[in-house]
Every structure is written in C-alpha cells, then in structure tokens.
Amino acid sequence: MSKLLLLHTSHFTSFHRRTLTSFLSRPNLTGSPLSSLQFHLRFCLILSPPPSPAPSFTRHNFSVRAFDSDPKSKEEQEEKLVKDGNESGPEGKKVNSDESVRGPCEDYPTGELQFEEFSWWKKFNVKLRMLIAFPWERVPKDAVLTMKLRGQISEQLRSRFSSGLSLPQICENFIKAAYDPRISGIYLHIETLSCGWGKVDEIRRHILDFKKSGKFVVAYAPACREKEYYLACACDEMYAPPSAYFSLLGLTVQASFFRGVLDNVGVEPQVQKIGKYKSAADQLIRKTMPAETCEMLTALLDNIYGNWLDKVSSAQGKTREDLENFINEGVYKVERLKEEGWITNILYDDEVQILLLFAYNLGLNVLWERINICYGNNLIEKVLSMLRERLGMPKGKKLPTVEYRRYSGVRKWTLGLSGGKDQVAVIRASGSISRVRGPLSVPDSGIVAEQFIEKIRSVRESKKYKAAIIRIDSPGGDALASDLMWREIRLLAASKPVIASMSDVAASGGYYMAMAAGAIVSENLTLTGSIGVVAGKFNLGKLYEKIGFNKELISRGRFAELLAADNRPFRPDEAELFAKSAQNAYEQFRDKAALCRSMPVEKMEEVAQGRVWTGGDAASRGLVDAIGGLSRAVAIAKLKANIPQDRKVTLVELSRPSTTPLQILSGIGSTLVGVEGTLKQLLEELTFSEGVQARMDGIMFQRLEGNSSANPIFALIKDYLSSL
C-alpha cells in the first residue's frame, strides 16, 4: 500500500510512523539496523480524494479559487470575494471584512507588558483576599519564587498530577510574581533544555517583563549551552559553580541520508517530489545533501545563530564581534567567563541563596560592589559569614522560597489580576495531528481533529467569546484531519476574530491550521511553512529475493496494484498516474494557502516548494502577519474585536488538562521512576494513523558536545524518532 505525504522536511529521513512502530516494537532489535528493517520498510502513500469546496470569505482586493478549473466560475468567485462590505457568516451574522483581513505588522499592537503599581485601595483588597485564600496559596513574606527550567517544556497546561514543565504556567507565574507583594524576586535554576527556540523566546520575554516590576531575577546555571545562556543573560545576575559545564561552542544542523542503507538491503525508493526544498525525498533517493537543502538549512542556521549573537551581545553590553571571538576561542573554563564578564560570579547553589537573603537589605549590585572592594573574589565564605553576623541573622536561617509547582496553584483572583468581562477563548493545539484518538493513546498526547473541532464549534456557537486564539505547536500529521480543522477554523473566523499564535513549530499540517485564521503571530525563530508534497513507495522486490520471500497478486482493474504491489517497480502508466496525483495534491495545498493569505498563486509558489522558514523570514514573505508571543496575539484579538487595549480580558483555556485515572497514574509513575515521557511516546507510536500525511520532519540544531560513545544503533533510532 502507499501513502501521500505532505511533509515539512529538513534533514531527517521521513519514514512513515508505521514503519518505525514495526521497527521499534520488534523483540529482536539487535545487530545491525539493516537486519532489523526486513519487511517493514514501507514508505507508502495513499492518494488523497479532492477536498470539498472551500467556503467563501471576504478578503483583500484579489483572491484565488483553489479548486475550480472553470474560467467563468473562477471569475465569478473572484468577483464575489472582492466585494466591498459585509458578508453573512454561517450563523447569519454580519461580519465586517476587516476582521478577517490581515494588516501590516506595524499596524498591530505589541501587547508588551506595561507594569503599573497597584493603588492603595487595590493593595488593601489584595491583602484581604490573601487572608481568605486557600492553604496552598499561602506564601511566606519576602519569599523568592524558585523555578527549575530543565528538559522538555510542554505547550499544554499541566494538571497537579502531571510532572514536567508547562509553558503557560511558567509565563503565568512570572506575571503573578511581578504583582505579588509576598514575592521579592525569582531564582531560576537553568539546566539543559529540550525545547525549540520559540518557547525559549517566550520565556525570555517574560523575564524581561518581570524586571519592569523592580524585583530581582537571578539565574544559576550548572550546565549551560546556547539556549540556557540565552535565557540566563536576560536575568539581573548569573552564577555558576566552579565545576559548571559551559559549552558555548556554536550551533550545528545535520542531515541524514539513507539511500546507501536502502541499497544494501535491496530496497528501491520510488519517490515523487513536489517542491525543490522538500528534502524528505532527497534523504531517501540521495546519498549526499543537494544544493537546495543546503541552502534552506544554512538560512535557518544563520537566522538562529545571528539572533543569538545579537540578543546575547546586547544583553551583556558587548559587541557582536566580541561574542563571536569568545565563541571561536572554545572557552571551557568557568574562570574565563567570570574574568571577561560573561557571568556575574562563581558560586555554588547554597552560596547564591545566602546572597539572595542579603539582597533584601542591600540589593544585589550594592552587595557585590562591597564584596569586591573590601574582600575580593577569593574570600566569599568569609564575606558571607561576616554579612550574616552584621545583619544579625541566625546561622541556620534559610532563604524563604516557594516552588514553581506550588506557586502555580495561586489564583490570579487572589492577586487582583482577574480579567475583565470580555472573554477570549484560547485553544491549544500541540503535537502530531491525527483524525481520531487511537485505543492506546494517552490523553493530551497530540492533536485529535474530532476533539479539536468540538472545541472550535463550541466557541463558534457561544456568544460569550469575543474572539479566539489558536495556539499551535505542531509539525503536522494527518492531512485529512488538518483540512477538516482548517474548514472549522475558517467557519469560526467568519463569525468572530481568530488569531493563530505559533510556538516552536507550525509547519506543514501545523501551518495548514494557522493559515485559516484572520491573523498569524509567530516567534522570530518559529519554524513554519513547508508547503510541499512527497509521494512514493518502496519497491521491496530485491529484498524479498534476498530473504527468500515471494508475493503474488491477483487483481482486477488497470491500476488495482498501484498501492498494493510492493514487490515490483511502477509500470510507466502507474508512474504517470502517481506523479499526476502528487502534483494535484501539492496544487491543492498551495492554492489553499494562496487563498487564505490573499496572495496570487504565482507569489505563493515562490515561498512554497516545501521550504521551511523562520518566523521572521515568513513574515517578510507574507506567510506570517506579526512577530511576538501569546500576549501580542491577545492584543491583536482585542483590536479586531473592537476591545480597547487598556481594557482587561479574561482568557478562557479550553484545553484544560484532564484528571483521569490514567493521567493520575501517569504522573505518579513519572514522579517515582521518571518514565512518563517514554511511556507516552511509545503508546503514541504504537497507534499509527492511516491516510494522507501533512507532516514536518524534525529539525534539530545540535551542539558539538554530543555523546560520541553512544551506540550507533540507538543514534539511528533517535534520528528516526526525531523525524516523526
């Protein structure tokens, strides 16, 4: 059988999920990776049926009819779409065309936090609310909020039974701590992160916003690479232990090519590639990187590395050249970092916490000035002992802290941060896209179209929501599911403003969803685009001969064996049909994107071709409307819903975490043995989806300190998993 893939591709081989599921679930996964492939090398593609006609929506002064080949009907449709005025939505409601029309980035509000001190009356109300707050909302006076940023950061909200970090809760904690009179500052313990640059930028933005409150934010980084340092340098102070692992060596991007592996096992990939940047096909049919893939990956890497150099050098008060020279020296000694001003000082965690105690009385800058003038950096212990005695602090007194997870339970209402009467729905879509949930799927393990559509319809049918924000963090998945969600988002956008907000990645199927919104907001380094198609199958004839396997088919119909015959190559007429089908699927995807973005097809063709863009480049090419995070999406939603920018709105999260027994057991298991992530991934991979795929391969920017001693088989499996 075969499948049609609408893939975002970069450098990892895009084997189908079913292939990897079979490959990884075999009990005898030993020896070379070639022997493990056997019968499971199937890169098949199913031809997609033509979609239902798209609904009519008022747009700019031109539009594109995606699926109508009749010239007369095309002209009529274009004339209908460019009519000036209002149009009836699906519920008979008049919708102003400006609500769904994009505008230039500079026309949109920034959504930047403007910190304002509470009035004495509001401070009094907040104190009263704290007196009647729930026990778990009690926080010590002058407490320091501690957050350990490490590992994966989810785009979804987390329940109290779930482990791991949640980006929405991290950002909310920064906002609450800025206004909470009980919080004196934030202590960030930053270690190796496993998330994209979009989430890192969102957290960094909230660090900078928090500093507007006048409270301190201190970072402690025992293991630091580029992403970790990108966050830490935004803080007031940055500390590291003497034995810290600092690896500021630069960024790399890698591409994997498997044609040699396939040749050795007797597998012939027959791939139809639509889009010169669609590198999934090249990874299967080539042994080296083509010029187009090199061009795309180089541009992505240059954007990310350039952004890192600019932001870090600016935060540290140095020039970009200074930072580049420091990186190229390969500095690994923490002492050099301190000497040249890249970190504040070298301290252990307990010493930093003692310093934070003294910071209440003196302030961090004054404290360090006195230490350096009077004692120097080699007498930290004596200085700390002296300060403890001078301030009359008990020897055993500890820093009053409140941990991230507990502070997440503090309600905004307690701090007087409740929103206004106007409500904006927030629907989060994170993970791989599937049409229905499989029997073994774990809750919140991906985007399930039927569940997502229910939420979209509930927002459309409700009168209490003034606008909707769809927060997307997805490389794509099932193309039919993506199209069904696209349709529902378009219908919602006809009745009220809809803003798409992109996180780490929103490409291929993820971009398919986003392009239905009235405006698209992405981070500067969000990976997006990837409008292209790869279609093909594996001819396993030679492999069958090597292992002594025979397969014979009896068929009726000229093309009956097109999807079934994996033991022979395409006949010429089959290859022609397959190529035409792939081209048709690509044109449907491209033309819908052109229609949604009010762009001529010819112009969309220039930015499509399967190419992946960063958010900044996508904005300059019309694929994205504005650069920013969720706060800017909220500001744009208020603008389009005619809500004054200074009026508060209530964000209603429609993707609240479930507290099913499975979720509770999952969280407990994670706390005890740390296996939740692995279990969820395995369960998800065991439940593969059929049908057309609109998926983006994983792009991984690696550092040079990768584990060279790792087993190459496991490294190969890791590459496979990253491409799902």
Side-chain angles (χ1 to χ4, degrees):
M1 58 182 288
S2 68
K3 284 190 179 173
L4 177 64
L5 303 179
L6 300 170
L7 301 168
H8 154 59
T9 61
S10 61
H11 64 279
F12 283 117
T13 305
S14 59
F15 283 91
H16 186 258
R17 171 180 288 184
R18 184 173 189 175
T19 302
L20 290 180
T21 300
S22 303
F23 175 62
L24 295 176
S25 60
R26 292 180 62 83
N28 57 342
L29 187 60
T30 58
S32 69
L34 303 180
S35 62
S36 301
L37 294 177
Q38 293 188 358
F39 304 101
H40 305 290
L41 287 171
R42 300 181 182 274
F43 181 76
C44 1
L45 304 118
I46 292 178
L47 305 180
S48 60
S52 57
S56 300
F57 296 90
T58 302
R59 277 295 186 190
H60 283 338
N61 56 356
F62 57 85
S63 66
V64 179
R65 177 64 176 168
F67 309 114
D68 197 342
S69 59
D70 181 64
K72 182 178 179 181
S73 61
K74 178 179 179 179
E75 293 175 2
E76 293 175 352
Q77 183 66 20
E78 290 185 351
E79 182 180 353
K80 180 180 180 181
L81 288 174
V82 300
K83 282 183 179 179
D84 188 22
N86 295 342
E87 186 178 62
S88 296
E91 299 173 353
K93 180 181 178 180
K94 292 291 184 179
V95 181
N96 191 292
S97 60
D98 291 340
E99 293 182 357
S100 59
V101 171
R102 299 173 287 107
C105 294
E106 57 269 18
D107 291 345
Y108 288 139
T110 63
E112 183 179 353
L113 174 67
Q114 302 295 332
F115 182 81
E116 297 180 1
E117 287 283 352
F118 284 166
S119 64
W120 69 269
W121 176 248
K122 194 162 188 178
K123 289 180 179 178
F124 177 73
N125 285 332
V126 169
K127 290 182 178 180
L128 288 180
R129 294 183 182 187
M130 289 179 179
L131 291 176
I132 61 174
F134 295 120
W136 55 83
E137 294 185 275
R138 305 292 171 85
V139 176
K141 182 181 178 181
D142 291 332
V144 174
L145 171 60
T146 62
M147 290 194 283
K148 182 173 289 188
L149 303 181
R150 178 176 61 191
Q152 295 184 351
I153 299 178
S154 172
E155 185 64 43
Q156 298 287 355
L157 292 169
R158 296 283 192 180
S159 71
R160 67 184 64 181
F161 301 105
S162 299
S163 65
L165 297 171
S166 165
L167 181 65
Q169 289 164 332
I170 291 174
C171 297
E172 184 178 274
N173 281 352
F174 273 107
I175 296 173
K176 291 187 298 186
Y179 288 93
D180 194 335
R182 303 166 298 180
I183 298 296
S184 60
I186 294 180
Y187 180 39
L188 294 179
H189 190 113
I190 304 175
E191 294 195 41
T192 305
L193 296 170
S194 300
C195 63
W197 289 97
K199 292 189 181 74
V200 172
D201 260 330
E202 183 83 7
I203 297 174
R204 192 175 193 272
R205 183 182 300 110
H206 277 79
I207 292 175
L208 297 176
D209 287 343
F210 174 81
K211 291 167 67 175
K212 296 176 183 178
S213 67
K215 301 177 181 181
F216 68 82
V217 53
V218 171
Y220 178 73
C224 189
R225 299 186 296 187
E226 287 75 18
K227 284 181 183 176
E228 296 75 29
Y229 193 80
Y230 187 70
L231 286 180
C233 70
C235 300
D236 294 314
E237 309 282 345
M238 179 182 178
Y239 301 96
S243 55
Y245 292 131
F246 263 79
S247 183
L248 303 179
L249 303 175
L251 300 172
T252 63
V253 59
Q254 69 176 19
S256 301
F257 298 91
F258 285 82
R259 182 56 191 265
V261 176
L262 300 178
D263 289 343
N264 288 334
V265 298
V267 175
E268 177 192 5
Q270 294 191 292
V271 179
Q272 184 65 38
K273 161 182 156 181
I274 311 297
K276 62 180 180 180
Y277 296 102
K278 211 61 179 175
S279 58
D282 298 319
Q283 294 162 14
L284 294 173
I285 63 179
R286 297 176 62 98
K287 296 182 179 180
T288 58
M289 183 185 298
E292 294 80 7
T293 301
C294 182
E295 174 192 350
M296 178 180 69
L297 295 183
T298 300
L300 292 173
L301 186 58
D302 287 343
N303 282 338
I304 295 175
Y305 189 55
N307 178 81
W308 187 84
L309 290 173
D310 291 338
K311 295 289 182 65
V312 170
S313 60
S314 176
Q316 298 292 45
K318 299 180 182 294
T319 66
R320 176 170 171 151
E321 290 72 23
D322 290 338
L323 180 55
E324 284 190 281
N325 292 335
F326 184 79
I327 294 297
N328 293 333
E329 286 184 32
V331 176
Y332 59 91
K333 291 185 177 181
V334 183
E335 291 78 8
R336 279 283 307 278
L337 294 167
K338 167 62 177 68
E339 291 171 3
E340 300 191 21
W342 297 105
I343 63 175
T344 305
N345 216 318
I346 303 173
L347 294 176
Y348 286 103
D349 179 51
D350 61 300
E351 295 174 322
V352 176
Q353 294 195 36
I354 295 175
L355 281 176
L356 294 182
L357 273 173
F358 302 142
Y360 298 152
N361 296 15
L362 298 176
L364 283 174
N365 294 331
V366 177
L367 176 64
W368 271 119
E369 182 181 353
R370 295 186 181 182
I371 291 177
N372 291 327
I373 292 177
C374 300
Y375 297 95
N377 294 323
N378 297 324
L379 299 172
I380 294 296
E381 285 292 344
K382 292 183 179 180
V383 173
L384 295 179
S385 300
M386 178 275 298
L387 288 174
R388 184 186 296 277
E389 295 175 2
R390 179 175 297 180
L391 296 175
M393 296 176 56
K395 192 171 183 179
K397 183 176 180 180
K398 295 183 179 180
L399 179 70
T401 63
V402 56
E403 194 264 337
Y404 152 84
R405 185 173 300 279
R406 179 176 179 182
Y407 195 69
S408 297
V410 177
R411 295 169 296 169
K412 283 188 173 182
W413 176 88
T414 305
L415 303 174
L417 298 176
S418 301
K421 65 177 182 178
D422 294 321
Q423 297 186 9
V424 175
V426 178
I427 306 175
R428 298 185 182 272
S430 177
S432 181
I433 298 172
S434 59
R435 193 162 57 90
V436 297
R437 184 168 298 284
L440 296 178
S441 296
V442 176
D444 303 323
S445 60
I447 306 171
V448 181
E450 61 181 5
Q451 296 177 355
F452 182 86
I453 289 173
E454 287 180 5
K455 295 173 184 176
I456 291 290
R457 289 177 177 173
S458 68
V459 174
R460 178 159 57 95
E461 294 167 359
S462 175
K463 296 181 180 180
K464 65 181 181 180
Y465 300 118
K466 302 297 184 180
I469 296 174
I470 301 175
R471 179 74 173 176
I472 301 172
D473 185 23
S474 172
D478 187 281
L480 173 59
S482 301
D483 185 66
L484 295 177
M485 292 186 291
W486 173 86
R487 164 78 177 186
E488 294 297 330
I489 296 172
R490 291 275 284 177
L491 292 175
L492 175 61
S495 62
K496 58 191 65 177
V498 178
I499 312 299
S501 173
M502 297 178 174
S503 183
D504 284 341
V505 57
S508 202
Y511 186 77
Y512 206 132
M513 299 170 60
M515 68 188 189
I520 300 176
V521 182
S522 86
E523 295 289 355
N524 187 46
L525 298 181
T526 296
L527 299 181
T528 189
S530 187
I531 303 170
V533 170
V534 172
K537 73 168 187 177
F538 280 129
N539 171 24
L540 307 179
K542 292 183 179 179
L543 174 62
Y544 289 165
E545 291 180 7
K546 287 184 177 182
I547 62 177
F549 178 78
N550 183 39
K551 181 177 181 179
E552 297 183 4
L553 298 175
I554 301 176
S555 60
R556 295 293 184 270
R558 179 181 176 185
F559 296 107
E561 297 183 6
L562 179 69
L563 309 178
D566 58 359
N567 58 341
R568 63 170 178 81
F570 284 132
R571 301 192 309 263
D573 58 338
E574 291 176 331
E576 181 181 2
L577 175 63
F578 207 80
K580 290 180 178 179
S581 300
Q583 182 65 35
N584 179 66
Y586 170 72
E587 291 174 358
Q588 290 179 7
F589 192 2
R590 178 202 62 194
D591 294 352
K592 274 190 176 181
L595 174 64
C596 291
R597 300 302 299 168
S598 300
M599 187 183 297
V601 174
E602 296 77 13
K603 185 68 175 178
M604 178 57 69
E605 178 69 18
E606 295 176 6
V607 298
Q609 294 284 328
R611 179 155 184 167
V612 184
W613 304 96
T614 59
D617 283 347
S620 65
R621 289 164 174 80
L623 297 177
V624 168
D625 296 301
I627 300 300
L630 184 63
S631 60
R632 189 168 197 189
V634 172
I636 296 174
K638 291 163 68 174
L639 174 69
K640 290 181 173 290
N642 297 320
I643 301 173
Q645 290 297 312
D646 58 353
R647 184 189 301 175
K648 291 184 178 181
V649 295
T650 298
L651 299 183
V652 181
E653 293 277 358
L654 300 185
S655 303
R656 287 284 175 184
S658 61
T659 54
T660 61
L662 179 58
Q663 188 76 8
I664 295 175
L665 291 176
S666 173
I668 295 175
S670 174
T671 302
L672 294 176
V673 296
V675 298
E676 178 191 23
T678 303
L679 176 61
K680 285 187 176 183
Q681 185 175 5
L682 290 176
L683 291 176
E684 182 180 353
E685 296 306 326
L686 288 173
T687 309
F688 54 84
S689 60
E690 294 290 349
V692 179
Q693 298 292 297
R695 185 182 304 279
M696 180 190 91
D697 287 347
I699 290 184
M700 181 173 64
F701 292 87
Q702 295 182 323
R703 285 79 180 177
L704 300 179
E705 73 277 10
N707 184 4
S708 59
S709 62
N711 189 310
I713 296 179
F714 291 108
L716 179 62
I717 294 175
K718 180 180 179 181
D719 280 2
Y720 281 162
L721 292 176
S722 299
S723 69
L724 290 180

